[in-house]
């Protein structure tokens, strides 16, 4: 069973998903192995509007383009 999202994740998710062009976010690790927020955006230009860190965790950007649900 999936664990409930932490308050820190819910807060970061609300803040990030409110930014136009952000399509999703998750938790991961930076190049040094430290915890980080991974943010999926439609284009590289969106990165300039993102915070550098939230709650002490760096924000890392992945350009994913638009994300659409696939039919089953």
């Amino acid at each position: 069973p999936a664990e409930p999202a932490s308050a820190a994740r819910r807060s970061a998710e609300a803040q990030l998903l409110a930014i136009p062009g952000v399509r999703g976010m998750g938790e991961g690790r930076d190049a040094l192995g430290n915890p980080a927020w991974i943010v999926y955006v439609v284009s590289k230009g969106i990165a300039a509007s993102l915070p550098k860190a939230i709650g002490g965790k760096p924000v890392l950007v992945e350009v994913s383009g638009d994300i659409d649900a696939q039919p089953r």
Side-chain angles (χ1 to χ4, degrees):
E3 291 183 26
S6 70
R9 180 180 171 126
R10 286 191 307 271
S11 175
E13 191 170 52
Q15 184 177 345
L16 291 166
L17 293 179
I19 299 169
V22 172
R23 293 296 181 253
M25 58 108 16
E27 296 180 67
R29 303 261 173 198
D30 66 13
L32 299 175
N34 299 310
W37 302 115
I38 312 300
V39 183
Y40 300 95
V41 299
V42 295
S43 68
K44 189 175 180 179
I46 306 295
S49 64
L50 299 176
K52 300 292 182 214
I54 296 175
K57 287 185 183 181
V59 172
L60 306 179
V61 179
E62 291 284 332
V63 178
S64 62
D66 277 322
I67 298 173
D68 294 319
Q70 298 295 310
R72 290 182 175 222

